[in-house]
Every structure is written in structure tokens, then in C-alpha cells.
Amino acid sequence: MATVLHIVSQVPMEVSMSKVFNESFIGRLATMNRAARALRELGYRVVRQELNPARGNRPEVQVERDVTPSIGPLLDRSRGRMWRTEGGKKRGYTEFQGVTVCWEEA
């Protein structure tokens, strides 16, 4: 009885990388994590993070508004402001360190 051996070489790292964890995904994740850390350092409580939100092309981070006495420190460090009424609740949005930060008004 003959034995057949197949030599299997290791697959190069570039080929074995998942297509999900591509350069764009890793960059968006790093941006979102960096912004969330900075928000926590400012005293905000991060309650939701979304890497690919339905609207917009930036990751989205939601902070809890009722824990923090003022949203002013965030607005001082961010760019652009917008408010929308969604589902009977007023929500604020701003761009901070490459992400969209949102919060519900108290």
C-alpha cells in the first residue's frame, strides 16, 4: 500500500487576513476608540458606539446627557452642531475627533 504525502506551505499573512478586518475597518475602529477614550476623559459616559451607522460616513458615539452637567466642554472641542427631533426626543449631534457624537437633550 503506497502512502501519498502532500506538502502544504503556510499561507502568507496578506492572503490569510480576513476581508472584514481590512485597512479601512481598522482605521475606523481606531478612530472611534480614540474618540471614545477622549470623551470619557472629559467626563462623558459613552452608552453606544456604532462603527457603520445608517446615516453619515463617520463612526457614531452616543454619550449620556443626564450624567454630565454641561455639554459645553464637548461643543468647545468639536466642529459643527445640529439638533433633530426623533421619536419625540431632541437629539444633538457634533463632529469630534473624526466621529459623530450624539446625545439626547434632557
Side-chain angles (χ1 to χ4, degrees), residues 7-106:
I7 299 175
V8 179
S9 63
Q10 288 190 341
V11 178
M13 183 60 110
E14 308 86 52
V15 175
S16 68
M17 288 284 291
S18 170
K19 290 183 182 184
V20 173
F21 292 107
N22 60 27
E23 195 172 315
S24 173
F25 175 85
I26 292 169
R28 292 173 69 81
L29 186 59
T31 299
M32 187 175 66
N33 287 339
R34 194 172 22 257
R37 271 194 301 279
L39 288 164
R40 287 183 187 106
E41 288 172 6
L42 289 171
Y44 298 100
R45 182 169 173 249
V46 174
V47 294
R48 183 180 59 81
Q49 298 181 75
E50 196 167 335
L51 203 54
N52 294 306
R55 67 175 167 270
N57 58 356
R58 289 186 296 268
E60 189 172 294
V61 176
Q62 182 177 349
V63 295
E64 190 170 63
R65 176 73 170 92
D66 60 358
V67 172
T68 307
S70 174
I71 205 73
L74 170 61
L75 295 177
D76 290 343
R77 292 168 175 83
S78 63
R79 192 171 66 163
R81 300 165 190 175
M82 181 176 60
W83 281 265
R84 288 185 183 167
T85 301
E86 299 172 341
K89 296 181 181 183
K90 187 175 179 182
R91 298 188 87 166
Y93 296 86
T94 190
E95 182 186 339
F96 175 76
Q97 295 187 3
V99 304
T100 299
V101 178
C102 65
W103 63 92
E104 287 183 4
E105 287 292 323

